[in-house]
Amino acid sequence: MAITPLSVEDIFDRLKRGKRWDFPGGVHPAEHKTLSNQSEIARVKLADKLYIPLKQHIGVEGELQVSVGQKVLKGQPLTHSAHPFAVPVHASTSGTVVDIAPQVAAHPSGLSELSVVIEPDGIDQWIDLKPLSNYQEMDKAQVVEAICDAGISGLGGAGFPSHIKAQPGKNVEFLVINGVECEPYITSDDRLMREHAWQIRQGIDVLVHLLAPRHVIIAVEDNKPEALDALSVACRDASNYLVCDVATKYPAGGEKQLVQVLTGREVPGQGLPIDVGVIMYNVGTCFAIADAIFSGKPLVERVVTLTGGALNKPHNVWAPLGTPVEHLLSVAEYQPGKQASPRVIMGGPMMGFTVTDARVPVVKITNCLLVPSVDEVRNDNAEQPCIRCSACADACPASLLPQQLYWHSKAAELDKAQDYNLFDCIECGACAYVCPSEIPLVQYYRQAKADIRNQRDEKDKAERAKRRFEARKARLEAEQQAREEKHRKAAEARKQAMQNKDTDKSARVSDAIARAKAKKQQTENVTEPVAETQPKNAAVAAAIARAKAKRAAQTDAEKKPEATVQPSPAHNHESDNDDAESAAQRKQRQIAAAVARAKAKKQQGQDVNKTTPAQHKSDEAGNNEQQSEQDIQRQAESKQQRIAAAVARAKAKKANRQQAQNTSDSDDVTEEKNSQS
Amino acid sequence: MDVLSAPLAIGLLALAFGAILGFAAVRFKVQADPLVNQIDDILPQTQCGQCGYPGCRPYAQAIADGDEINKCPPGGEATIKKLADLMGVEPKPLDAAHGEEDVKKVAFIREDECIGCTKCIQACPVDAILGAAKHMHTVMADECTGCDLCVEPCPVDCIDMVPVTTTTASWRWRLQDHLQQIPVKQVS
Amino acid sequence: MKFALASSPHQRVNRDTGQIMRMVCYAALPGIAMQCWFFGMGVLVHLLIASATAVATEALILELRKKDFERAVKDCSALLTALLIAVSIPPFAPWWITVIGTVFAIGVVKQLYGGLGFNLFNPAMAAYVMLLVSFPVQMTAWLPPQSLAEQSHNLMDAISIIFSGFTTEGYSISQLRVDVDGVTLATPLDAVKTGLTQGKTVSETLGLSIFNGATGIGWFAVNAAFLLGGLFLLQQRVISWHMPISMLAGLALTASFFYLLDSDQYSSPWFHLFSGGAMLGAFFIVTDPVSGSTTRNGRLIFGAAIGIWVYIIRQWGGYPDAIAFAVLIMNMAVPLIDYYTQPRTYGHRSNSSNKGARR
């Protein structure tokens, strides 16, 4: 575009002289703004219930801070998170949390999202507010945190968390305040600028303090002269603030388009405006920031335009976040008879989406509810073949080729669609607006984009699965190798031993015998069922038994040298001898073990007897302890039951499987027979 | 002499072109990804073994060696089509002997029934189950490929395969699902 | 409450395909009127035949393809094709010429390729070329303007000659082409070409009676009328300026260049702009969106190239007029043009980086 990049001052001078750049394409739909911008922003009475979704911005949702039944005050945070992309939501009025459950979301899909349902108590009592009136003396991080804690995310439509933009980490040349509001019908920003220009100015001052931009440009479309005047008056004393009128053309209010119109710069494809030294805030966001800093009020309400031919009283209202659409419709006197079928659009006619349910709540990005009469919208079902007229390409503000995108999206050639820069489409709807064949082009692009995103996610997941699978395989192989190594070493050791056999045969023999004995004893110990679950006494008894066994083993070992002293030619005989010996010893040990067991058992019984009086005592002392003990007992019982149940299930399953196997086996057999025959 | 000149000319030409082609083949050689890798990239990496091979890569190897391309139920028609494109063969319907295409699912362990036997942990091809002996196990839903392999070994049948639900983030803009007006339709 | 769902945008311009096609048809009316005035009522008869054939063919084929033919017929695209065929062929050509041409245009060139929006070639022009190649005699039998002809003729004569080959008074078409001096008259373009082959200079040829000033009688008026219609379309933004202006510019500049080189051998740009189907081509044929280029620069290239081709074929080719050939040639080049004239997307340096990725 610009052959030699202009300096910041040149650009600002140019704007001062009233010159603007232009963006390609664009359309001029009928504005219909006077429908709703004639009266002041009205206050509405509270709805019976407010549905506040936990996530109303781009990013992640916070953790819930309230529970069902809890009383909340207006402005009380409902969520909290330390995540940088998390913005809290607040109670829009005082009342009771009656439910926390998935509710239909303000989303074109009509799917549900986790929401807090608040029943207002009618008092509308604020929580303690902590204004930061002396923000200029405070640490910037503190101010940014206050903005974040106030739950402010972009009110223009995208819902990008405002505090993230407030700490860009780069040099800000232009701070652009977007009051363009280029979509037809919508007048919420218009009214806000007219009525609250001074507070918007305060918000801008806060942002200037945070961002320290070279210049501030406040852009308003030239079809809003009153708003332009109000802002000009409010910003008269600031020399580096410039209120700019922008030629009325849709979508001049798009972030990228406005950057181009004001500075002649283009935001890089995958980049953000800050990459060309620009930061943009919506006027509504500025207003909310001023609210947060100077009165400490979090974002709990916003201006919503209620408009359209099917409303008797189109006007702007302050709607508490979470107010269901049906409530606002009744406020504006909705006339269903004026529509072919009930249809409510959240947002404007170009980019808004149809709400799926009357209970859909107003959220932070809801700037308009458009309820068009039957002659204000076109029938959607009139798609005709594309005649390649390229009206769409002429209208595209991003200089894309909507037609090619359409062919490829429709044919699900997602790679090719991406080659034609599908993801640079801002979904402004200009192409579909001008299409003579009434093709819902944007719908095709959205589907293609969603498909590409899903495919990408799937691909990522597959890649991850592959890596994990390979890592697992490697691990198993390593284990296998380690095992083999061990076996090999053991085998080598055996071999070595075999070689030594001749010289040290008898020693080995006695060794083996000792090993066998020890093993036997060990198994005996283990088979004692008392060991683990018994109380201490039993364990002590078992320990004694083990000690005895050990001693016995030791005596065995002591005997070993005796055995090795006289090398005997009659190998078998000796071993027989040994066996006999060990049998006698075994008997002894068994008796000892049995005695130990019996003792343990007895002691256990005594234990139980003892604990009963103890329990009585503790009964007197306090119920708590006993309860907890009973709890433990119950738990133990239930655990036993569960184990029993699990075992039963396992058995059932085994039986089942065997049966299945049998039948399948027989099936196989019959099949085989069949195939043979 | 005339008789000789024609074959000579042809021969020289052939030699010259041959040299050019040979040079071009060496000079502009494209280093292609080995076929097995390309096939492996197409496969869904569920590692479920429904194809009869112990994982996706072995199946990729098998396809490269000439096995059928229609043995992957998790991949379904889409994968078969891509494989057919890659291998230059006709796509064919999924071989029912290896299972049927199903909605995407992830495993879910009913934790109060889990007895902590670790059998599912050993079965999971992608180590997506956490737990230790005699402690309840749980599935990392993000890592689960929905391969089904953990269901069978569980002695107490406490593993369910739960279909993945659509969220507002993964919604695919299919308005027609709402059984209302269909804004997108087939024309001509 | 059940809400209706729809995808944004919910507002649309009130101009659909049918309206666009109808407006183009209306814009062609002054030109048709002029043709009637100078060359007799034959064009009206052909218009009727062509329209009936086109709509019938379209409906029949759509029925065979099991499509909703009612809406397709309502979009008037077949009617526009019929109109272009009717004004392109000589007014007293036999009826079956129109029928064959229209059936070919709708049935083969348009519907066989997939119907509206899918045809590679401009149906009317493809049909015209097919007719010209197959029936050269009938397709070049243009009558001289009525004021010059020995035999005058009216609507009844026109109908009679189209269906039987003779006027009500029994004159054949070749007799009608003879002027008061007993010389067979051709179109100015024809005459210049014939004159040049006979060794005459352009200015000598222009002395013939069919010429009135720099261009021929009647032809100037017809072209001017089509220009008027074209300006109306531009003003209504039915067509964009790129293709017609670049086509006329391409033609005029090439003609000027050679005219300045040698005015004896080459006729003036003025003559080229207002002869034959130049204006009709520029505003009604080249602007066919379906078979034309779709990018902004592409449309400029497409138009200019057609202008140059028209000049080349008129000057050195075997046929007197060349709009149809030029359009068809450039139709073939459209995918190439589109590919290399993709606009630079907002926020991207250039599209060259993507091109490498695409193959």
Side-chain angles (χ1 to χ4, degrees):
Chain A
M1 270 282 156
I3 297 140
T4 49
L6 288 171
S7 75
V8 179
E9 298 308 322
D10 287 345
I11 292 173
F12 197 63
D13 280 347
R14 202 169 173 247
L15 287 173
K16 264 189 182 161
R17 277 182 275 123
K19 282 193 177 170
R20 315 276 181 267
W21 277 267
D22 194 12
F23 64 92
V27 290
H28 297 273
E31 287 172 16
H32 299 290
K33 296 226 182 209
T34 49
L35 209 60
S36 55
N37 71 358
Q38 301 302 307
S39 58
E40 283 195 10
I41 307 170
R43 293 259 160 211
V44 292
K45 72 172 192 351
L46 280 168
D48 298 336
K49 275 182 185 169
L50 300 178
Y51 303 87
I52 302 173
L54 295 194
K55 191 184 143 206
Q56 305 183 16
H57 62 278
I58 294 178
V60 294
E61 62 187 36
E63 283 164 41
L64 265 175
Q65 298 287 296
V66 292
S67 50
V68 175
Q70 190 179 335
K71 294 254 179 223
V72 290
L73 293 175
K74 184 175 187 178
Q76 182 175 338
L78 302 177
T79 61
H80 171 79
S81 172
H83 193 281
F85 268 85
V87 172
V89 292
H90 301 80
S92 311
T93 184
S94 59
T96 318
V97 176
V98 292
D99 198 8
I100 297 174
Q103 300 283 345
V104 59
H107 189 269
S109 64
L111 291 168
S112 299
E113 280 182 343
L114 195 62
S115 310
V116 175
V117 184
I118 294 177
E119 201 168 80
D121 55 11
I123 308 169
D124 209 25
Q125 187 191 353
W126 277 99
I127 197 169
D128 280 344
L129 301 178
K130 295 189 202 72
L132 302 175
S133 306
N134 55 341
Y135 70 92
Q136 273 154 321
E137 291 140 33
M138 298 173 98
D139 190 28
K140 281 184 186 177
Q142 213 173 338
V143 180
V144 169
E145 202 183 322
I147 292 174
C148 174
D149 289 343
I152 299 172
S153 57
L155 272 73
F160 192 82
S162 295
H163 66 279
I164 305 238
K165 279 203 271 189
Q167 35 193 356
K170 282 184 189 171
N171 201 12
V172 181
E173 289 170 352
F174 295 101
L175 169 63
V176 176
I177 306 301
N178 187 344
V180 174
E181 199 165 59
C182 56
E183 274 227 40
Y185 285 98
I186 308 178
T187 56
S188 55
D189 286 351
D190 183 12
R191 285 309 313 186
L192 192 72
M193 288 187 283
R194 287 197 214 182
E195 293 172 32
H196 301 281
W198 282 102
Q199 189 170 341
I200 292 171
R201 161 75 201 275
Q202 282 183 308
I204 299 172
D205 287 344
V206 174
L207 287 172
V208 168
H209 170 66
L210 290 177
L211 298 167
R214 295 270 289 278
H215 295 288
V216 180
I217 307 168
I218 300 143
V220 181
E221 225 170 32
D222 57 11
N223 60 0
K224 292 183 257 301
E226 297 90 347
L228 274 167
D229 285 349
L231 283 172
S232 303
V233 171
C235 301
R236 197 159 33 191
D237 59 327
S239 63
N240 64 337
Y241 286 24
L242 180 67
V243 179
C244 262
D245 58 330
V246 171
T248 302
K249 178 163 98 170
Y250 180 83
E255 190 174 59
K256 293 176 165 185
Q257 278 64 44
L258 191 54
V259 168
Q260 189 171 16
V261 167
L262 295 175
T263 66
R265 299 173 180 176
E266 289 186 15
V267 182
Q270 307 294 324
L272 292 169
I274 186 61
D275 296 336
V276 289
V278 179
I279 292 252
M280 195 176 294
Y281 278 94
N282 178 266
V283 284
T285 314
C286 295
F287 181 86
I289 288 174
D291 244 3
I293 299 300
F294 295 100
S295 359
K297 290 181 185 172
L299 179 60
V300 293
E301 61 178 5
R302 66 157 298 145
V303 187
V304 177
T305 305
L306 309 176
T307 187
L311 294 180
N312 262 7
K313 264 178 61 186
H315 63 302
N316 283 288
V317 296
W318 283 106
L321 300 181
T323 307
V325 164
E326 57 190 348
H327 181 69
L328 295 177
L329 291 186
S330 69
V331 164
E333 295 174 16
Y334 172 43
Q335 306 287 313
K338 289 188 180 173
Q339 290 187 309
S341 55
R343 176 190 296 206
V344 177
I345 296 158
M346 191 171 270
M350 300 297 282
M351 290 184 76
F353 58 89
T354 48
V355 301
T356 50
D357 194 288
R359 270 230 321 250
V360 168
V362 166
V363 293
K364 289 172 186 172
I365 56 169
T366 307
N367 49 9
C368 177
L369 287 179
L370 171 61
V371 194
S373 62
V374 69
D375 51 346
E376 282 175 297
V377 281
R378 289 289 295 269
N379 175 15
D380 274 307
N381 217 358
E383 183 177 348
Q384 286 175 344
C386 169
I387 56 167
R388 295 167 42 92
C389 66
S390 300
C392 46
D394 294 341
C396 181
S399 300
L400 294 166
L401 291 172
Q403 213 189 99
Q404 272 79 350
L405 290 176
Y406 157 69
W407 294 122
H408 294 310
S409 301
K410 196 173 172 180
E413 295 166 339
L414 301 179
D415 291 351
K416 285 197 181 137
Q418 270 175 290
D419 286 343
Y420 279 98
N421 300 325
L422 177 63
F423 278 95
D424 284 283
C425 168
I426 57 168
E427 298 178 22
C428 67
C431 50
Y433 174 80
V434 296
C435 180
S437 297
E438 304 187 30
I439 302 168
L441 292 160
V442 183
Q443 171 68 11
Y444 282 109
Y445 307 154
R446 287 193 186 116
Q447 291 188 350
K449 281 184 185 176
D451 287 351
I452 290 171
R453 281 197 202 103
N454 281 351
Q455 273 190 8
R456 217 181 265 165
D457 289 351
E458 252 166 50
K459 188 96 194 157
D460 281 356
K461 210 179 155 181
E463 195 53 44
R464 241 180 15 242
K466 196 162 141 186
R467 272 207 307 276
R468 292 179 77 88
F469 177 68
E470 268 153 21
R472 180 185 137 97
K473 218 165 70 183
R475 196 192 72 219
L476 290 182
E477 263 165 27
E479 274 172 13
Q480 173 100 24
Q481 228 161 27
R483 247 198 325 272
E484 270 166 17
E485 183 74 2
K486 221 165 85 187
H487 286 320
R488 198 175 54 78
K489 276 199 176 140
E492 259 173 27
R494 263 201 305 278
K495 222 171 173 183
Q496 195 87 35
M498 287 284 269
Q499 279 170 356
N500 293 345
K501 210 175 184 179
D502 297 336
T503 57
D504 205 353
K505 214 176 214 172
S506 52
R508 278 187 45 75
V509 170
S510 56
D511 243 332
I513 292 162
R515 266 206 307 278
K517 278 177 191 161
K519 208 172 180 182
K520 214 174 278 164
Q521 258 174 341
Q522 252 177 17
T523 47
E524 271 167 16
N525 279 348
V526 171
T527 45
E528 275 191 18
V530 238
E532 270 176 26
T533 48
Q534 303 297 343
K536 219 173 182 178
N537 289 339
V540 172
I544 292 165
R546 265 205 302 282
K548 277 182 186 167
K550 206 170 179 183
R551 210 179 300 145
Q554 266 174 355
T555 49
D556 267 3
E558 276 161 24
K559 273 179 194 162
K560 255 187 266 165
E562 284 178 23
T564 45
V565 174
Q566 353 158 304
S568 146
H571 194 50
N572 288 337
H573 175 69
E574 203 194 58
S575 70
D576 276 355
N577 240 4
D578 241 321
D579 268 2
E581 226 178 58
S582 68
Q585 279 177 345
R586 192 164 59 208
K587 208 163 188 180
Q588 257 184 8
R589 268 199 312 278
Q590 267 174 350
I591 291 164
V595 170
R597 262 206 306 279
K599 274 185 190 161
K601 213 167 184 179
K602 206 163 150 191
Q603 253 163 344
Q604 203 190 9
Q606 277 173 349
D607 261 3
V608 173
N609 288 345
K610 269 181 206 159
T611 47
T612 2
Q615 254 178 12
H616 287 300
K617 270 179 211 159
S618 65
D619 256 355
E620 289 155 26
N623 284 335
N624 286 348
E625 246 175 82
Q626 184 220 2
Q627 252 181 359
S628 68
E629 263 173 67
Q630 275 179 343
D631 272 357
I632 293 169
Q633 268 188 348
R634 214 176 298 139
Q635 270 181 3
E637 273 168 29
S638 70
K639 199 170 182 182
Q640 270 178 353
Q641 278 170 356
R642 273 220 308 270
I643 291 170
V647 170
R649 265 204 305 280
K651 275 182 187 161
K653 192 178 172 182
K654 207 167 157 190
N656 258 344
R657 202 183 305 161
Q658 268 176 351
Q659 220 171 5
Q661 221 162 20
N662 286 348
T663 50
S664 71
D665 277 354
S666 58
D667 277 355
D668 280 354
V669 171
T670 47
E671 264 175 22
E672 267 176 26
K673 272 181 190 164
N674 286 346
S675 63
Q676 276 171 0
S677 64
Chain B
M1 198 61 210
D2 285 348
V3 184
L4 274 178
S5 66
L8 206 67
I10 298 286
L12 280 175
L13 276 176
L15 213 64
F17 286 127
I20 292 171
L21 282 176
F23 174 74
V26 175
R27 175 73 179 73
F28 303 108
K29 185 165 186 174
V30 181
Q31 279 297 343
D33 208 12
L35 186 60
V36 181
N37 283 353
Q38 290 181 46
I39 299 172
D40 199 28
D41 280 345
I42 293 173
L43 294 174
Q45 305 298 333
T46 50
Q47 319 292 356
C48 64
Q50 288 182 68
C51 49
Y53 295 94
C56 292
R57 189 156 180 104
Y59 182 41
Q61 184 65 53
I63 292 177
D65 294 340
D67 198 358
E68 294 291 348
I69 57 170
N70 59 350
K71 294 185 175 178
C72 180
E77 296 297 327
T79 298
I80 293 176
K81 195 165 169 288
K82 279 191 211 154
L83 284 174
D85 282 350
L86 178 67
M87 304 295 290
V89 295
E90 280 296 307
K92 43 183 115 178
L94 187 65
D95 187 352
H98 294 276
E100 275 161 26
E101 197 173 352
D102 202 357
V103 289
K104 268 189 84 67
K105 289 180 174 171
V106 291
F108 175 78
I109 295 178
R110 289 195 300 277
E111 289 168 356
D112 54 341
E113 287 175 24
C114 173
I115 55 168
C117 69
T118 73
K119 283 188 174 150
C120 53
I121 295 181
Q122 289 157 32
C124 180
V126 290
D127 282 345
I129 303 179
L130 276 179
K134 300 203 172 144
H135 292 276
M136 73 176 191
H137 306 336
T138 195
V139 177
M140 292 184 279
D142 277 353
E143 307 294 347
C144 176
T145 62
C147 68
D148 233 22
L149 291 178
C150 53
V151 175
E152 186 57 26
C154 179
V156 292
D157 272 343
C158 71
I159 303 181
D160 290 326
M161 296 306 292
V162 187
V164 181
T165 50
T166 312
T167 63
T168 46
S170 67
W171 185 55
R172 293 171 65 214
W173 274 97
R174 300 301 192 269
L175 287 173
Q176 52 268 63
D177 293 349
H178 295 274
L179 55 103
Q180 294 222 355
Q181 283 173 331
I182 301 168
V184 174
K185 53 177 239 160
Q186 205 60 36
V187 288
S188 65
Chain C
M1 199 186 297
K2 202 79 193 158
F3 284 121
L5 300 183
S7 183
S8 69
H10 306 279
Q11 248 183 347
R12 297 230 168 88
V13 281
N14 284 314
R15 181 183 281 168
D16 62 18
T17 310
Q19 273 162 310
I20 287 181
M21 297 289 175
R22 276 193 293 278
M23 280 175 95
V24 178
C25 290
Y26 298 149
L29 289 180
I32 294 172
M34 280 298 155
Q35 273 199 354
C36 289
W37 179 260
F38 285 101
F39 302 102
M41 300 304 213
V43 63
L44 287 185
V45 180
H46 280 300
L47 195 56
L48 283 178
I49 300 171
S51 303
T53 317
V55 172
T57 314
E58 177 120 317
L60 181 76
I61 291 183
L62 285 172
E63 183 66 26
L64 288 176
R65 291 178 62 204
K66 307 213 183 335
K67 304 274 176 191
D68 175 16
F69 69 80
E70 193 183 332
R71 197 151 93 201
V73 170
K74 266 192 202 149
D75 70 23
C76 294
S77 60
L79 223 53
L80 183 59
T81 304
L83 183 142
L84 292 178
I85 293 174
V87 298
S88 309
I89 62 176
F92 287 169
W95 62 272
W96 46 266
I97 288 274
T98 320
V99 172
I100 291 174
T102 315
V103 169
F104 180 77
I106 301 291
V108 176
V109 185
K110 185 174 167 190
Q111 292 295 344
L112 273 193
Y113 280 86
L116 180 62
F118 294 91
N119 44 305
L120 294 177
F121 296 104
N122 187 322
M125 289 305 101
Y128 178 84
V129 166
M130 186 276 288
L131 292 173
L132 190 63
V133 174
S134 311
F135 312 103
V137 176
Q138 287 84 348
M139 285 300 287
T140 49
W142 281 88
L143 289 187
Q146 280 198 333
S147 52
L148 295 180
E150 194 192 9
Q151 313 295 335
S152 65
H153 41 80
N154 56 23
L155 182 62
M156 284 318 290
D157 288 334
I159 295 170
S160 171
I161 203 163
I162 286 169
F163 285 99
S164 67
F166 296 96
T167 64
T168 44
E169 284 145 38
Y171 294 110
S172 75
I173 182 118
S174 46
Q175 283 168 307
L176 285 178
R177 294 183 72 193
V178 175
D179 76 349
V180 274
D181 305 328
V183 180
T184 302
L185 290 173
T187 64
L189 281 169
D190 231 355
V192 170
K193 184 162 275 175
T194 319
L196 282 173
T197 52
Q198 290 164 352
K200 296 179 187 166
T201 63
V202 172
S203 45
E204 278 170 7
T205 319
L206 290 180
L208 285 170
S209 59
I210 53 161
F211 293 100
N212 174 19
T215 56
I217 296 176
W219 288 101
F220 175 77
V222 169
N223 271 295
F226 278 126
L227 172 62
L228 200 69
L231 293 178
F232 165 73
L233 290 180
L234 277 182
Q235 187 260 328
Q236 289 292 311
R237 292 175 183 275
V238 173
I239 57 175
S240 72
W241 60 270
H242 303 83
M243 286 198 269
I245 300 302
S246 62
M247 183 252 177
L248 293 178
L251 178 59
L253 287 178
T254 325
S256 314
F257 176 75
F258 285 103
Y259 184 65
L260 291 177
L261 228 59
D262 184 354
S263 59
D264 278 348
Q265 282 291 315
Y266 304 103
S267 31
S268 72
W270 188 251
F271 171 78
H272 275 287
L273 286 181
F274 285 93
S275 293
M279 291 297 168
L280 176 73
F283 290 99
F284 294 86
I285 294 169
V286 175
T287 52
D288 170 40
V290 179
S291 52
S293 178
T294 55
T295 61
R296 212 166 299 189
N297 291 338
R299 279 182 280 188
L300 290 174
I301 295 172
F302 180 75
I306 288 180
I308 295 168
W309 270 116
V310 167
Y311 186 82
I312 291 172
I313 298 174
R314 276 183 179 180
Q315 200 64 44
W316 296 288
Y319 291 92
D321 206 352
I323 306 289
F325 289 105
V327 168
L328 290 191
I329 288 169
M330 289 317 292
N331 281 167
M332 286 188 273
V334 161
L336 187 76
I337 296 174
D338 279 1
Y339 183 83
Y340 282 106
T341 54
Q342 287 172 33
R344 186 186 61 86
T345 307
Y346 178 100
H348 289 249
R349 284 242 173 67
S350 72
N351 273 1
S352 56
S353 56
N354 317 330
K355 271 178 191 146
R358 195 180 313 135
R359 228 165 282 155

